Amino acid sequence: EYTRLSSTQNKEYVDGSQMPQNLKHAFVAIEDKDFYEHNGVSLKRTAFAILNEAKRIVTGSYIGGDSGLKQGASTINQQLIKNLTRDDENSNMAGYMRKIREIYRAYKMDVTYDKDTILEAYLNTISFTSNTAGVQAEAKKLFNKTVDQLTLEECASLAAITRNPSRYNPVKNPEVH
């Protein structure tokens, strides 16, 4: 499926066996620390996100105030589903229905594929800076090297970009790294 994604993105597929373990560990640590323990969905993070959203509806702010915790509940599985389906509806009931579909698909994915396959697909579809998708294309663009040549620091830098691509872009904001 992920080979058919939008051709307008700068992307290049790389096999998971060519990805350094440090890169995989960095993404799991930043994006979904319980990736290897859950079944595609983090019930704890989902429950927190529901309570936090309910608090925002009732009080007008998230837990922790206006600039408080707006933690996403999405696991790597759920993010991969969103990348593959391009289903990103966020408004009202349609947004809640998208999340329900995403949770169902994430569970199904976890039953169908092993964690290494899911992580490989995720790392090949994740969006980065300037319309780039996947770790190989981003490694070449930012560091002028293939993903298998990345240092520990470069692996961590790529993983950090996903949290806020404009802020953590090492070319535009080297002081942040």
Side-chain angles (χ1 to χ4, degrees):
E1 277 296 314
Y2 52 83
T3 59
R4 297 188 298 162
L5 288 175
S6 174
S7 61
T8 61
Q9 289 184 309
N10 174 23
K11 62 183 177 182
E12 183 179 338
Y13 175 85
V14 63
D15 191 85
S17 65
Q18 295 176 300
M19 297 176 191
Q21 281 303 116
N22 286 331
L23 181 72
K24 295 174 184 179
H25 292 314
F27 274 91
V28 169
I30 287 178
E31 294 294 327
D32 184 1
K33 67 180 177 62
D34 298 323
F35 175 67
Y36 290 102
E37 280 76 49
H38 62 61
N39 295 324
V41 176
S42 171
L43 297 178
K44 182 172 78 173
R45 286 171 58 185
T46 300
F48 177 83
I50 291 168
L51 290 173
N52 203 16
E53 189 64 23
K55 182 185 182 305
R56 185 197 59 81
I57 290 168
V58 173
T59 68
S61 67
Y62 291 104
I63 295 171
D66 291 335
S67 61
L69 301 169
K70 187 180 182 218
Q71 173 190 320
S74 294
T75 62
I76 285 175
N77 295 55
Q78 289 172 275
Q79 292 176 57
L80 176 58
I81 293 294
K82 191 172 178 180
N83 291 345
L84 293 175
T85 63
R86 300 290 192 213
D87 187 359
D88 61 357
E89 180 62 56
N90 282 323
S91 62
N92 302 321
M93 188 53 77
Y96 297 123
M97 294 308 295
R98 175 191 58 85
K99 273 309 219 187
I100 291 169
R101 285 190 304 275
E102 192 177 274
I103 288 168
Y104 171 75
R105 291 169 175 163
Y107 274 122
K108 284 290 273 184
M109 176 186 286
D110 212 70
V111 170
T112 307
Y113 300 100
D114 63 59
K115 292 291 189 178
D116 290 334
T117 301
I118 293 167
L119 187 58
E120 177 183 319
Y122 170 74
L123 293 172
N124 275 295
T125 60
I126 189 167
S127 292
F128 285 100
T129 60
S130 303
N131 205 32
T132 301
V135 292
Q136 181 80 309
E138 189 72 0
K140 286 181 174 182
K141 183 176 82 182
L142 293 180
F143 306 117
N144 199 29
K145 49 173 88 168
T146 57
V147 75
D148 62 320
Q149 299 171 320
L150 294 175
T151 65
L152 172 61
E153 295 80 10
E154 291 163 341
C155 290
S157 183
L158 283 182
I161 290 171
T162 62
R163 302 307 275 167
N164 187 332
S166 58
R167 178 177 176 170
Y168 294 119
N169 181 333
V171 174
K172 292 183 180 178
N173 299 310
E175 71 284 351
V176 177
H177 287 271

